[in-house]
């Protein structure tokens, strides 16, 4: 007998997004939310917060590149950038690709999300410790 493990995120009462899981890499609960890193067959590792997909290794570039580059290429000389949220680090990774950027204030509420992503999603979080990145753990609204 074989056992298959699937993760499903319900979109509506009649629609769900499901992925077959190779392995559950991490599961934990921070002060703010439940955090999981799942190794999926189709999308590689996935960050799941409170049973909701946040990002996956295979398709994260679509979101992170589009949320970052149009604004930074439009600005004539971006030097200081504020990133609120995005504890996986993908947006920060894309921002520091711009040589004119001198400082990135990276504001994230949940320290555990950042720590878990640095450990289990290094392809996304690889620039969080960049010398131009100033990581601040607080509520984004309070920071602004």
């Amino acid at each position: 007998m074989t056992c298959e493990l699937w993760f499903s995120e319900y979109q509506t009462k009649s629609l769900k997004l499901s992925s077959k899981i190779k392995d559950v890499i991490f599961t934990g609960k921070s002060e703010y939310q439940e955090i999981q890193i799942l190794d999926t067959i189709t999308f590689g590792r996935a960050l799941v917060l409170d049973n909701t997909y946040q990002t996956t290794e295979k398709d994260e570039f679509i979101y992170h590149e589009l949320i970052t580059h149009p604004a930074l290429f439009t600005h004539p000389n971006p030097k200081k950038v504020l990133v609120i949220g995005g504890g996986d680090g993908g947006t920060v990774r894309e921002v520091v690709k711009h040589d004119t950027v001198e400082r990135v204030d990276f504001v994230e509420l949940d320290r555990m999300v950042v720590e878990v992503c640095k450990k289990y999603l290094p392809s996304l979080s690889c620039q969080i410790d960049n010398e131009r990145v100033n990581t601040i753990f607080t509520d984004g609204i309070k920071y602004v």
Side-chain angles (χ1 to χ4, degrees), residues 55 60 63-65 67-69 83 85-97 106 117 121 123-128:
T55 193
E60 57 82 16
Y63 175 80
H64 292 114
E65 289 179 6
I67 198 171
T68 304
H69 298 301
V83 175
D88 57 73
T91 300
V92 167
R93 179 198 64 206
E94 296 303 312
V95 168
V96 299
K97 288 180 179 178
F106 171 40
C117 289
L121 293 172
S123 63
L124 279 83
S125 62
C126 58
Q127 293 298 322
I128 290 174

Side-chain angles (χ1 to χ4, degrees), residues 35-93:
I35 304 166
Q36 295 175 301
I37 302 290
L38 306 175
D39 192 5
T40 72
I41 300 289
T42 305
F43 293 105
R45 290 186 178 184
L47 171 63
V48 176
L49 300 178
D50 288 336
N51 293 312
T52 303
Y53 283 106
Q54 299 301 304
T55 193
T56 69
E57 287 178 312
K58 186 168 183 173
D59 67 356
E60 57 82 16
F61 71 94
I62 298 167
Y63 175 80
H64 292 114
E65 289 179 6
L66 287 175
I67 198 171
T68 304
H69 298 301
L72 291 174
F73 283 131
T74 302
H75 192 288
N77 193 23
K79 292 187 180 294
K80 296 177 184 174
V81 176
L82 172 62
V83 175
I84 298 177
D88 57 73
T91 300
V92 167
R93 179 198 64 206

Side-chain angles (χ1 to χ4, degrees), residues 32 82-86 105-110 136-144:
Y32 304 102
L82 172 62
V83 175
I84 298 177
D105 283 343
F106 171 40
V107 180
E108 169 60 43
L109 180 63
D110 196 335
I136 303 155
F137 293 103
T138 190
D139 182 283
I141 296 294
K142 289 179 184 175
Y143 179 81
V144 171

